[in-house]
Amino acid sequence: MHSGTINLKGRSFLTLKDFTPEEILYLVDLAAEYKDKKKNGILHDTLRGKNIALIFEKTSTRTRCSFEVAAHDLGMGATYLDPSVSQIGKKESIADTARVLGRMYEGIEYRGYAQSIVEELARNAGVPVWNGLTNEYHPTQMLADMLTLKEHFGHLDGLRLTYMGDARYNMGNSLMIVCAKLGIHFTACTAEQYFPDEALVAQCREYAAQSGATITLTQDAMAGTKGADVIYTDVWVSMGEPEEVWEERIRTLSPYKVTRQIMDNAGEKSVFLHCLPAYHDLKTTVGREQSSKYGFTELEVTDEVFESAQSLVFEEAENRMHTIKAVIAATLGA
Ligand code: CP
Ligand code: NVA
């Protein structure tokens, strides 16, 4: 399955900064084709006999399951590597691990901490490396989000997306990049200290100049969400961050909680997205622990919005699998 002149065979997938708008849209469309095949029971196990390694230094439900199911559907084997039971980083460097795994596997997924680690892995592996989330970026999530929005609105160009919460971490950064590249007007609506890094904003403004997108940073929750097509949020405390940050995050980001009032301000045609997992109730251990200290019942989004008809979060979660499959297939040349 190839369209036009786009050929991603042999490429790593580390950040969407490395991909043109055409390449990003190609992957979204390829994912839609795979989704269609899967729904219609059409087998697509064209990568039989190949294998991938999945390194997870942070926990995961969606990303891990997406890679495993996608690999299986493509006819491939997948090995899950839990750093607590492997040598990675403790007794063996990332560069050595890359050179070992690159001889056994056709591709390697990495989820962990610094972006520099996944980049080092890619430099040394000799096979495509896929970023399954780092502190800085979450590029496979972006493809799922774009597929979800394209399915819902029928187009991406010209949409208005507002991200509320911690906009200087993986989700805020990645959404700003993909929106800037694809002509989606991006607003980071949060407290000033959670605005994305200035250098990245400047780089995205250059992408936006090409695509017709705009980038807005605002602390005004009502002005920032007025008329938005998409309201997007993420947890306020990300994986790997210390316990001490919770109190300040809750205090500073509470005005940016996605509530019914925010969705009404955006308008009845607006949709709600969240990469998940979400603290929209107290049905989680961490949610209950933090709630007993700080006395909330819901954090970044209210349960009402999360469960509403405007919420596309489970379509979005399903699309992780179809889009990750497209990344594997395109970079391995299925
Ligand atoms: N959205 C996302 O990456 O989910 P997981 O952490 O469950 O993989
Ligand atoms: N910002 C979140 C995203 C989870 C998918 C984290 O890094 O934990």
Side-chain angles (χ1 to χ4, degrees):
M1 297 206 289
H2 287 293
S3 90
T5 53
I6 291 173
N7 181 0
L8 301 178
K9 189 168 180 190
R11 292 267 299 274
S12 284
F13 190 78
L14 306 180
T15 161
L16 289 184
K17 288 196 283 187
D18 301 338
F19 289 80
T20 65
E22 294 73 25
E23 288 170 340
I24 296 168
L25 292 172
Y26 167 75
L27 287 167
V28 171
D29 290 345
L30 183 61
E33 285 178 41
Y34 275 119
K35 184 170 181 176
D36 208 43
K37 281 196 160 80
K38 175 105 177 167
K39 300 277 176 203
N40 289 299
I42 301 168
L43 285 181
H44 41 280
D45 52 347
T46 51
L47 289 171
R48 269 190 309 279
K50 297 187 191 288
N51 290 285
I52 61 174
L54 310 176
I55 305 172
F56 280 84
E57 299 208 79
K58 290 176 179 169
T59 52
S60 170
T61 297
R62 278 147 291 275
T63 310
R64 177 187 175 175
C65 296
S66 295
F67 271 98
E68 293 209 12
V69 172
H72 185 265
D73 286 354
L74 291 166
M76 311 174 81
T79 304
Y80 175 74
L81 285 151
D82 172 354
S84 68
V85 295
S86 75
Q87 316 280 24
I88 299 166
K90 297 187 292 291
K91 286 172 60 186
E92 193 160 30
S93 69
I94 291 295
D96 290 356
T97 304
R99 287 179 289 179
V100 172
L101 296 180
R103 285 170 182 257
M104 298 183 193
Y105 295 92
E106 274 78 20
I108 303 167
E109 180 275 355
Y110 173 86
R111 164 172 287 198
Y113 296 88
Q115 179 72 8
S116 57
I117 300 173
V118 76
E119 283 169 5
E120 189 179 359
L121 199 57
R123 272 197 306 278
N124 289 281
V127 297
V129 169
W130 308 297
N131 179 359
L133 178 146
T134 56
N135 295 346
E136 291 91 335
Y137 305 115
H138 197 5
T140 62
Q141 178 75 49
M142 295 307 105
L143 298 179
D145 299 345
M146 294 304 113
L147 177 59
T148 308
L149 294 178
K150 198 167 176 194
E151 288 173 338
H152 183 83
F153 291 103
H155 68 101
L156 295 171
D157 192 47
L159 290 178
R160 297 175 60 191
L161 184 148
T162 296
Y163 180 82
M164 305 183 86
D166 180 0
R168 32 128 252 163
Y169 217 68
N170 42 29
M171 287 302 303
N173 290 344
S174 298
L175 283 164
M176 183 168 65
I177 294 166
V178 77
C179 288
K181 291 216 171 201
L182 299 186
I184 299 171
H185 303 294
F186 175 82
T187 299
C189 181
T190 187
E192 193 172 7
Q193 62 265 46
Y194 293 105
F195 283 167
D197 173 64
E198 276 178 26
L200 186 62
V201 172
Q203 195 174 1
C204 288
R205 288 212 162 108
E206 287 178 24
Y207 303 145
Q210 300 295 312
S211 71
T214 52
I215 296 185
T216 307
L217 310 180
T218 180
Q219 297 184 64
D220 184 329
M222 282 294 138
T225 54
K226 186 82 197 155
D229 298 297
V230 188
I231 301 292
Y232 202 123
T233 193
D234 177 22
V235 290
W236 290 341
V237 178
S238 286
M239 290 183 276
E241 291 200 286
E243 173 68 27
E244 304 84 81
V245 303
W246 275 91
E247 186 178 359
E248 188 276 335
R249 287 293 156 78
I250 292 172
R251 191 166 10 91
T252 309
L253 294 178
S254 285
Y256 305 99
K257 182 193 293 276
V258 181
T259 59
R260 172 53 39 215
Q261 190 192 9
I262 293 287
M263 294 307 293
D264 287 347
N265 187 50
E268 61 183 22
K269 295 221 167 65
S270 65
V271 299
F272 172 71
L273 293 184
H274 189 311
C275 53
L276 304 183
Y279 294 117
H280 60 96
D281 58 24
L282 294 180
K283 293 178 187 158
T284 65
T285 317
V286 175
R288 278 194 297 274
E289 269 168 24
Q290 298 301 335
S291 163
S292 67
K293 290 186 203 157
Y294 305 113
F296 58 82
T297 51
E298 33 200 18
L299 278 181
E300 70 274 12
V301 56
T302 63
D303 197 48
E304 184 190 8
V305 170
F306 186 89
E307 298 293 353
S308 71
Q310 283 165 289
S311 170
L312 301 183
V313 297
F314 295 109
E315 285 80 359
E316 181 185 10
E318 176 190 334
N319 284 339
R320 296 298 310 287
M321 197 282 285
H322 305 298
T323 45
I324 280 173
K325 187 183 288 176
V327 171
I328 298 173
T331 55
L332 297 189

